Amino acid sequence: MPGTAILSQGVGYGVVLGIGCFFTLLMIGLTKLQTRYTPMKMTSISEFASASHSVKPGLIACAIVSSWTWAATLLQSSAMGYKTGIYGPYSYAAGATVQIFLFAVNAAKIKMNAPKAHTFLEVIRVRWGTFPHVVFIFFAFATAFLVSSMLITGGAATVTDLTGMNPYAAAILIPIPVALYTLVGGLRSSLLADYIHTVFLFGIILLFMFEVFVTNDKIGSPSKMYDMLVQAGKDWPVSGNKDGSYLTFQSKSAGIFMVLNLIGNLRAIASVPSTAVKGYMLGGSAWLSIPLGMAATMGLSAVVLKYDPSYPNYPIGLTSAEVAAGLPAAAAAQTLLKAGGAAALLVLLFLAVTSATAAELCATSTVMTYDIYAPYIRPGASEKELLLVDHVGIVVWCVVMAIIGWLVTAATLNDGAITMETTFQDYPMLCGNLLSIGIASIIAFTGSLIWPENYDWVETRALHAHTEASEIVPESPVEGVDDDLKNEKGVASPDQGRSAAPSIEGVELDTPEHLRKTHRFATVVATCMFVILMILIPVPLAASGWISTKVGFTTYVVIAFIWVFYGAFAVCIYPIWEYRKSLSTIFGHIWADVTGKGKK
Ligand SMILES: NC(N)=O
């Protein structure tokens, strides 16, 4: 799109291939370090696919934040801010956060009734048999297909928009380096890649926030942003907003979006099982800050910078198709910081796409291994064989992603009858989402009433119970390093990629009474979050037709800053604290090796 491609194609290829290659090399290095300095060996399927059940809540939260941050989280949230004003960032953030908490409830329930399941689908197979299992495998792959196509085409569109890189090349190349590093790294290294992604993510978002609200001479303060938003509401009033203002929560479009974001995301995250309640709570509260901080900064900046002659296509600005493609953030980044801003946004987006793509690769390969190969092709397959299938699964889904990316790019560029503009309108999206969740609920409730059962979950609780003993492989353990890993507060890792089935480990914590308490706690927190985020905050603000004052807007910006700092603390600083003993031991051994005092 003319006007936003201010970086060269070389930068596009450099980012697409360079970041992937950097992470592949990093994975190789980390895997070598892990093999030399920790008791965990990558030759174990359990270590490759589930990091030997020893990941702590902060790092799990980081993995959740990383895999739940897509291109859309940064671009569509900003587009909502651009289209609807201050309610847009909130509606995106709240709508997509609540279900992370709801999922913690699911997670606790799974821990009670199928604690060793690798995937949701396994529970369905044991509980309801082969036919429902096959049906849900179809649903799982259909969901993975949709998410993969969204990730690849969203990533490719952004790279193309900012650099002019060929969209087909971008769509085909994006998944390849990600598959490489996922193959090399296994889950523990992928978790570390998530950590690095997340540190950059928060760093770049904070850079944009400080630039817009503190230092940049085009805006530089909440007060100036407020004045410019007041003027923008007069020059370009928002249809469906109270008095056309950008400073109100009475916004039809943002309200509808919040509901459909809640429902739509509920289906997406439900494809990924987990039992790490604490990790989900921490991750959910931290994730909220990403779309809120990003969209309150870049979405609103994209509105007020329309007055600046260096804005793309000035004075016309962005077309509605460009807004639907998520370009307001790109327009704001380059108007604020020229090529540097565009480059920072490109890296930010690419990191988001990479980590979510890696999660998708892990998830689909685990389903192929545990829901197709192990039960139907080779029951009783050895651990080595399952590890190989898991690797092959990653390669297979990488190829599928590249093909989907290519086909969907072709369809989008050739004006298919079903267009982004028509399917992304408020009412078609709301209708689709309500129908899908409504019909599923009706079937589940009616079915349970017609055919009630007092199922005792004995079979699902027995799932994989025999594999318990082989999960940690302490070959030549290095003294001290496994202290943290065996700590009772450790959280079993995501079995199914970085967003799958983590669970609180430790004998004392796994008593039925504790599990019941955890489930109750998760239910209370999720209900409170739903009521606060979806009702108590937005409904009075919307119903009263409140239009923000300067003080109100400054408070909104300060809350966004505080939340982003909290998020950065929870998923960037806290994991370092959690692993301080292991890190200091590992660095001690490295230092001993470097200085020639280590074991040979
Ligand atoms: N992960 C989302 N919904 O941005």
Side-chain angles (χ1 to χ4, degrees):
M1 287 179 193
T4 48
I6 64 166
L7 300 169
S8 71
Q9 285 200 31
V11 174
Y13 282 96
V15 167
V16 170
L17 296 174
I19 290 184
C21 291
F22 166 77
F23 276 101
T24 307
L25 291 177
L26 187 77
M27 292 299 112
I28 293 170
L30 287 172
T31 308
K32 284 203 182 316
L33 285 179
Q34 174 177 339
T35 308
R36 178 157 178 84
Y37 298 111
T38 78
M40 307 303 166
K41 301 291 174 266
M42 290 303 299
T43 43
S44 146
I45 177 80
S46 174
E47 174 56 17
F48 182 83
S50 64
S52 299
H53 286 216
S54 60
V55 184
K56 292 176 189 258
L59 200 55
I60 290 288
C62 179
I64 287 162
V65 166
S66 176
S67 27
W68 199 224
T69 304
W70 307 337
T73 313
L74 307 164
L75 297 183
Q76 294 305 334
S77 64
S78 298
M80 280 311 293
Y82 175 84
K83 286 193 295 187
T84 65
I86 60 171
Y87 192 13
Y90 181 88
S91 69
Y92 195 105
T97 295
V98 165
Q99 69 284 79
I100 304 183
F101 286 92
L102 292 179
F103 203 74
V105 179
N106 246 355
K109 200 77 184 166
I110 287 181
K111 183 65 184 167
M112 286 163 80
N113 291 335
K116 295 290 163 196
H118 296 101
T119 67
F120 260 147
L121 302 173
E122 282 189 309
V123 182
I124 291 171
R125 178 172 59 80
V126 173
R127 170 70 180 86
W128 284 284
T130 303
F131 182 65
H133 185 223
V134 172
V135 170
F136 274 83
I137 289 177
F138 171 78
F139 286 150
F141 278 103
T143 306
F145 194 88
L146 288 174
V147 174
S148 298
S149 55
M150 182 200 66
L151 285 172
I152 300 299
T153 49
T158 311
V159 180
T160 303
D161 292 335
L162 289 170
T163 70
M165 180 178 174
N166 181 299
Y168 293 102
I172 291 168
L173 289 177
I174 285 172
I176 295 172
V178 185
L180 253 180
Y181 92 67
T182 312
L183 274 177
V184 175
L187 186 63
R188 193 182 299 277
S189 303
S190 296
L191 287 167
L192 290 171
D194 281 344
Y195 177 77
I196 296 166
H197 279 134
T198 311
V199 170
F200 275 101
L201 203 69
F202 274 98
I204 296 175
I205 290 175
L206 280 169
L207 169 101
F208 283 137
M209 290 181 81
F210 275 100
E211 189 62 41
V212 167
F213 292 113
V214 184
T215 56
N216 194 278
D217 54 10
K218 289 176 182 168
I219 306 173
S221 70
S223 167
K224 179 140 183 226
M225 171 77 98
Y226 177 85
D227 293 337
M228 292 170 92
L229 283 171
V230 170
Q231 190 56 43
K234 292 178 187 149
D235 295 339
W236 308 292
V238 185
S239 142
N241 274 25
K242 167 90 175 164
D243 297 345
S245 172
Y246 284 92
L247 292 154
T248 181
F249 269 53
Q250 194 172 86
S251 166
K252 192 178 82 175
S253 212
I256 291 176
F257 186 82
M258 190 166 78
V259 175
L260 65 88
N261 206 21
L262 172 75
I263 302 169
N265 280 311
L266 201 57
R267 283 182 299 143
I269 200 169
S271 60
V272 195
S274 169
T275 49
V277 171
K278 273 192 209 163
Y280 267 85
M281 305 243 158
L282 202 59
S285 55
W287 183 86
L288 190 145
S289 70
I290 292 178
L292 182 67
M294 180 74 187
T297 306
M298 303 308 271
L300 299 183
S301 294
V303 174
V304 301
L305 290 169
K306 282 198 280 188
Y307 293 108
D308 192 285
S310 65
Y311 197 80
N313 299 333
Y314 177 83
I316 298 162
L318 302 172
T319 62
S320 56
E322 286 171 326
V323 175
L327 286 194
Q334 71 174 77
T335 310
L336 287 166
L337 289 162
K338 304 199 170 56
L345 184 72
L346 184 59
V347 170
L348 181 68
L349 284 167
F350 206 72
L351 290 175
V353 170
T354 312
S355 55
T357 300
E360 206 60 24
L361 288 171
C362 287
T364 44
S365 67
T366 310
V367 171
M368 288 179 207
T369 308
Y370 287 105
D371 288 292
I372 299 178
Y373 192 80
Y376 300 126
I377 299 177
R378 287 263 297 178
S382 68
E383 194 179 271
K384 209 169 150 200
E385 201 173 331
L386 292 178
L387 183 62
L388 179 70
V389 175
D390 197 282
H391 282 55
V392 171
I394 289 175
V395 176
V396 168
W397 199 253
C398 168
V399 174
V400 171
M401 274 181 139
I403 294 172
I404 301 172
W406 168 55
L407 293 176
V408 177
T409 304
T412 314
L413 292 180
N414 289 300
D415 274 345
I418 302 169
T419 65
M420 285 272 285
E421 268 179 83
T422 54
T423 50
F424 270 67
Q425 281 162 6
D426 290 342
Y427 286 112
M429 281 220 285
L430 185 64
C431 194
N433 280 289
L434 280 174
L435 267 180
S436 69
I437 202 155
I439 288 175
S441 310
I442 291 168
I443 291 174
F445 281 114
T446 324
S448 303
L449 287 175
I450 299 175
W451 300 286
E453 264 184 50
N454 255 340
Y455 187 66
D456 57 11
W457 302 100
V458 169
E459 291 95 341
T460 55
R461 285 193 187 119
L463 193 65
H464 299 303
H466 61 285
T467 57
E468 183 76 331
S470 65
E471 284 182 342
I472 290 191
V473 189
E475 293 165 28
S476 55
V478 178
E479 209 177 304
V481 171
D482 52 347
D483 287 356
D484 280 353
L485 306 176
K486 289 176 182 156
N487 183 314
E488 61 162 19
K489 291 202 177 87
V491 172
S493 69
D495 281 350
Q496 183 183 316
R498 80 265 343 260
S499 27
S503 61
I504 295 169
E505 282 292 287
V507 177
E508 300 137 65
L509 296 184
D510 279 352
T511 61
E513 183 47 29
H514 183 272
L515 291 174
R516 262 194 301 277
K517 271 193 193 148
T518 306
H519 180 252
R520 238 188 341 260
F521 172 67
T523 310
V524 170
V525 175
T527 310
C528 290
M529 291 308 285
F530 177 83
V531 172
I532 294 169
L533 290 176
M534 304 297 286
I535 299 171
L536 287 185
I537 295 176
V539 171
L541 287 173
S544 65
W546 173 76
I547 294 182
S548 180
T549 57
K550 196 171 268 190
V551 172
F553 181 71
T554 307
T555 309
Y556 174 91
V557 171
V558 168
I559 291 173
F561 264 100
I562 292 174
W563 216 295
V564 173
F565 273 110
Y566 159 76
F569 174 82
V571 296
C572 302
I573 313 273
Y574 180 54
I576 300 271
W577 173 255
E578 282 178 317
Y579 282 96
R580 63 196 177 284
K581 281 195 205 135
S582 288
L583 287 171
S584 88
T585 312
I586 289 170
F587 283 118
H589 285 294
I590 294 174
W591 179 248
D593 266 5
V594 170
T595 54
K597 293 180 194 144
K599 66 172 182 157
K600 296 283 179 265

